[in-house]
Amino acid sequence: MTAPIRSTDSQRKVLGRLSLPERNFVANALRAETVGGVLLLVAAVAALIWANTAGGSYDSVRGFHLGPASLGLDLSLQHWAADGLLAVFFFVAGIELKRELVAGDLRDPRAAALPVVAALCGMAVPALVYVLTNTVGGGSLDGWAVPTATDIAFALAVLAVIGTSLPSALRAFLLTLAVVDDLFAILIIAVFFTSDLNFAALGGAVLGLAVFWLLLRKRVRGWYIYVPLALAIWGLMYNSGVHATIAGVAMGLMLRCHKEDESEEHSPGEHIEHLVRPLSAGLAVPLFALFSAGVVVSGGALGDVFTKPETLGVVLGLVIGKAVGIFGGTWLAARFTKAELNDDLAWPDVFAVASLAGIGFTVSLLIGELAFTADPLLTDEIKAAVLSGSLIAAVLSGILLKVRNAKYRKLWEDEERDEDLSGVPDIYEMDDPEYHRRMAAIYEKKAAEHRRLAEVSGGEREDGNGPA
């Protein structure tokens, strides 16, 4: 995909209208994420029901081990989901990040400033809220990173459930936030949750990545080459002590995500993302949710969520920290770049989307497992806190977005209207003379038809056959 070109007006506006190529990309990407989000929601509910109604079968199934022990891969199903399947999720995240860097909003430093600052503040403030809560309450600071992540798929599933028609600018802002959020979540996992390093395995993983990169540069094709190589890299990365999902990110970032000439309909990165995203959204992430979200819920457990400093810190970080951080970061970026908010939107709209970003599920659950791996009871309590905080954020954002839904629907309809049936929304053709000629012909045809109907109606009245 060619890099989107924004108008001068859009560059001076916060959340201005997207260029047509960027709008189409965002629409396609979010459509797939929404379907995946609904599956993720179903999987999470299924996990909760299973864990709370089927005795110990849930723990027995997710604790079942399989895999070659000689390769250090005799893992439980829960670990296969967290370390293996999520590598596919992070592979797609790596491609998304690469595309944003070379062909999307993050390519232009001026356009990238706002979502990057908003995302950084949206991670720093929840972490600060967690630290303050646990410093005051005497809790463990190990979970500071849990409330920093946003789950874009779950957020879009909430939008689909409540029936909100966000305009493309807000959807793109949410998507870019999530991409930057994923990048820093990856860095947090790599830096803070790396165990004792096995340098031999790490060296093997780096060598495998070098071979992967070289094959890509030499234009070598064939899934039968890349899939076995990717599995080997993943296995070596897992045994190195670095979290295995980092291998997925690294390979995603290596793919070329720009078209070299007009003969290419899609770049290799976009093509592979199109193939792998359904696997990630439809299988990998829902299975991770199924084996990770199942916590036993009781009145006492729910009470502990709001009384223990660790769990309360997660809830407050997601609900308050995310909303305040993203909104504050956006306002500060706009203030110091002297940009103005899009005339069609208001600052409460930004706060509503910021509160929606408080839905932290997939990566938050993963970091919760990594942060408290030595305390299974606290791990489950942290998961309950993630679910509770995400639910509260979803309800709060749903209410805020519903208040403005009539305005959003009108903006969305304006963006989608295509009266000349050209396949391009009318709002993007206002500077095209051919569009106005097509519209003139359409209106002239309608006018001629109305004149004919008027003559027919007049003739009926003169003959006495029309209505009195």
Side-chain angles (χ1 to χ4, degrees):
M1 175 178 291
T2 57
I5 301 174
R6 293 176 181 248
S7 66
T8 303
D9 180 67
S10 293
Q11 289 175 350
R12 290 186 288 106
K13 295 288 186 182
V14 176
L15 303 179
R17 189 170 71 241
L18 304 178
S19 68
L20 183 60
E22 185 72 1
R23 170 196 172 276
N24 292 338
F25 174 83
V26 168
N28 291 333
L30 294 187
R31 192 176 298 115
E33 291 284 6
T34 301
V35 174
V38 172
L39 293 175
L40 179 61
L41 187 59
V42 171
V45 172
L48 287 170
I49 294 173
W50 186 4
N52 286 274
T53 60
S57 67
Y58 179 78
D59 288 330
S60 298
V61 170
R62 71 175 180 175
F64 180 77
H65 278 245
L66 73 161
S70 59
L71 299 178
L73 297 175
D74 180 21
L75 310 177
S76 67
L77 289 179
Q78 184 178 5
H79 277 103
W80 275 114
D83 294 280
L85 293 178
L86 279 194
V88 179
F89 166 80
F90 279 107
F91 174 70
V92 174
I95 299 175
E96 289 177 338
L97 176 61
K98 180 67 174 290
R99 184 207 161 271
E100 286 290 327
L101 290 170
V102 301
D105 282 351
L106 302 183
R107 182 189 185 193
D108 180 358
R110 291 173 298 175
L114 188 142
V116 170
V117 170
L120 283 174
C121 292
M123 299 185 80
V125 176
L128 181 61
V129 168
Y130 179 92
V131 169
L132 289 175
T133 303
N134 282 270
T135 299
V136 172
S140 170
L141 300 182
D142 292 344
W144 64 270
V146 175
T148 61
T150 292
D151 195 308
I152 182 65
F154 222 136
L156 292 171
V158 170
L159 288 179
V161 170
I162 66 177
T164 298
S165 302
L166 280 186
S168 60
L170 286 176
R171 289 178 178 264
F173 178 62
L174 184 60
L175 178 61
T176 307
L177 272 177
V179 171
V180 178
D181 192 292
D182 284 343
L183 167 63
F184 287 101
I186 291 160
L187 293 176
I188 287 172
I189 291 171
V191 174
F192 295 99
F193 297 105
T194 293
S195 56
D196 295 336
L197 289 176
N198 180 330
F199 287 100
L202 182 60
V206 172
L207 179 62
L209 288 171
V211 172
F212 188 88
W213 179 85
L214 184 63
L215 292 174
L216 290 173
R217 297 286 80 75
K218 295 295 183 181
R219 303 292 195 271
V220 176
R221 298 177 180 272
W223 65 267
Y224 46 85
I225 296 175
Y226 289 101
V227 171
L229 178 59
L231 291 174
I233 293 170
W234 175 86
L236 288 165
M237 190 69 76
Y238 177 84
N239 283 287
S240 73
V242 177
H243 200 269
T245 54
I246 304 302
V249 177
M251 288 184 279
L253 287 171
M254 289 181 181
L255 295 176
R256 177 167 60 84
C257 293
H258 65 279
K259 295 193 295 184
E260 291 187 331
D261 53 62
E262 293 302 320
S263 64
E264 280 189 322
E265 184 177 357
H266 300 288
S267 68
E270 290 173 319
H271 177 66
I272 292 173
E273 180 188 8
H274 178 73
L275 295 176
V276 178
R277 184 185 287 276
L279 176 63
S280 170
L283 181 66
V285 176
L287 280 178
F288 167 75
L290 181 65
F291 290 123
S292 293
V295 293
V296 177
V297 178
S298 64
L302 290 176
D304 288 344
V305 166
F306 299 97
T307 54
K308 283 193 173 182
E310 294 89 350
T311 51
L312 180 61
V314 170
V315 173
L316 294 179
L318 289 171
V319 177
I320 297 175
K322 273 290 184 181
V324 172
I326 291 173
F327 178 83
T330 304
W331 186 86
L332 289 172
R335 173 72 177 81
F336 287 102
T337 58
K338 297 182 180 179
E340 297 179 357
L341 186 65
N342 181 359
D343 295 335
D344 293 325
L345 300 172
W347 283 109
D349 298 321
V350 179
F351 186 82
V353 172
S355 65
L356 184 66
I359 300 174
F361 188 76
T362 305
V363 179
S364 290
L365 289 177
L366 175 62
I367 294 177
E369 291 181 357
L370 297 174
F372 298 104
T373 185
D375 190 341
L377 178 59
L378 185 54
T379 298
D380 281 348
E381 291 173 339
I382 289 292
K383 289 180 180 180
V386 170
L387 295 173
S388 300
S390 297
L391 178 61
I392 294 170
V395 172
L396 174 63
S397 60
I399 293 171
L400 295 175
L401 292 169
K402 269 298 186 181
V403 170
R404 292 272 289 171
N405 194 44
K407 178 68 174 178
Y408 296 152
R409 182 166 294 279
K410 183 180 183 304
L411 292 173
W412 183 81
E413 289 173 350
D414 289 342
E415 291 177 356
E416 297 295 318
R417 187 174 294 112
D418 182 20
E419 292 187 353
D420 64 337
L421 303 178
S422 65
V424 176
D426 296 340
I427 200 169
Y428 290 97
E429 297 186 298
M430 292 302 171
D431 296 329
D432 183 2
E434 289 302 318
Y435 162 75
H436 295 288
R437 293 189 182 97
R438 289 193 297 270
M439 290 305 299
I442 290 171
Y443 285 128
E444 287 168 3
K445 183 177 180 180
K446 289 182 178 179
E449 177 65 14
H450 283 296
R451 282 193 292 270
R452 186 187 69 79
L453 292 174
E455 291 172 359
V456 171
S457 299
E460 291 177 349
R461 287 193 180 91
E462 290 175 3
D463 295 338
N465 295 325

